[in-house]
Amino acid sequence: MKITSSILIQANASTVWQILMDFKAYAEWNPFIRSIKGVPHIGQQLQVDIGTMKFKPIVQTKQYNKHFAWLGTLWFKGVFDGLHRYEINEIDEQTCEFVHSEEFSGLLVPLLKQKLKTETYQGFVAMNEALKQRAEHTSL
């Protein structure tokens, strides 16, 4: 099961990327992901706090100004796994589309499907809006 949300941001890809990779500042602007600790390099483990849940995903992909993804698991692989992805699609020099998605798999997905489609999706949308506000009103 996959959930996806996107938003147009009137800022360049570099500005959006810098905000996303500045984990220390998440508490200042991000209503969904309260904090991320760790180094955003492939193979590194992060500590992510989304308020209702804390987990330790492993960074899967990272391409500067383009995309970043991590894979999180609950207890052990196959129970409840999530591949969380940020994508930045440059439209022109001052506009980009931010795509925020997560692909869920595992035994618990059918039980949590409705919550993911509502609460998690709403969290993605709230984060996207906050990212837009920060990117459009910052001068990085």
Side-chain angles (χ1 to χ4, degrees):
M1 183 197 138
K2 185 175 183 177
I3 59 173
T4 302
S5 64
S6 64
I7 194 165
L8 285 178
I9 300 175
Q10 299 300 312
N12 62 40
S14 177
T15 297
V16 174
W17 178 260
Q18 288 177 41
I19 293 167
L20 289 170
M21 293 297 107
D22 184 5
F23 295 160
K24 291 179 182 174
Y26 270 43
E28 296 172 16
W29 67 271
N30 195 327
F32 180 62
I33 300 175
R34 306 285 200 251
S35 72
I36 299 178
K37 294 178 184 168
V39 181
H41 295 308
I42 294 172
Q44 294 295 306
Q45 185 175 58
L46 303 174
Q47 294 176 32
V48 178
D49 176 356
I50 62 167
T52 58
M53 206 162 97
K54 294 176 181 15
F55 54 98
K56 296 180 178 181
I58 305 294
V59 177
Q60 302 295 303
T61 63
K62 178 182 178 184
Q63 184 178 358
Y64 184 76
N65 287 355
K66 297 279 185 194
H67 62 82
F68 181 72
W70 69 64
L71 178 63
T73 59
L74 182 63
W75 299 313
F76 54 87
K77 192 166 176 51
V79 175
F80 184 74
D81 306 325
L83 181 61
H84 196 108
R85 186 173 174 93
Y86 301 150
E87 291 177 63
I88 304 168
N89 301 313
E90 191 173 74
I91 294 171
D92 60 38
E93 290 181 8
Q94 288 302 316
T95 309
C96 62
E97 175 192 36
F98 175 65
V99 181
H100 189 176
S101 66
E102 189 156 2
E103 190 163 346
F104 299 96
S105 61
L107 298 171
L108 293 179
V109 171
L111 298 173
L112 299 172
K113 193 174 193 174
Q114 193 57 42
K115 183 175 181 169
L116 296 171
K117 284 183 173 181
T118 56
E119 291 177 33
T120 303
Y121 177 77
Q122 290 167 359
F124 281 22
V125 170
M127 177 179 159
N128 296 359
E129 289 288 343
L131 174 63
K132 176 182 175 73
Q133 289 299 311
R134 189 165 180 96
E136 291 180 354
H137 297 96
T138 193
S139 55
L140 294 174

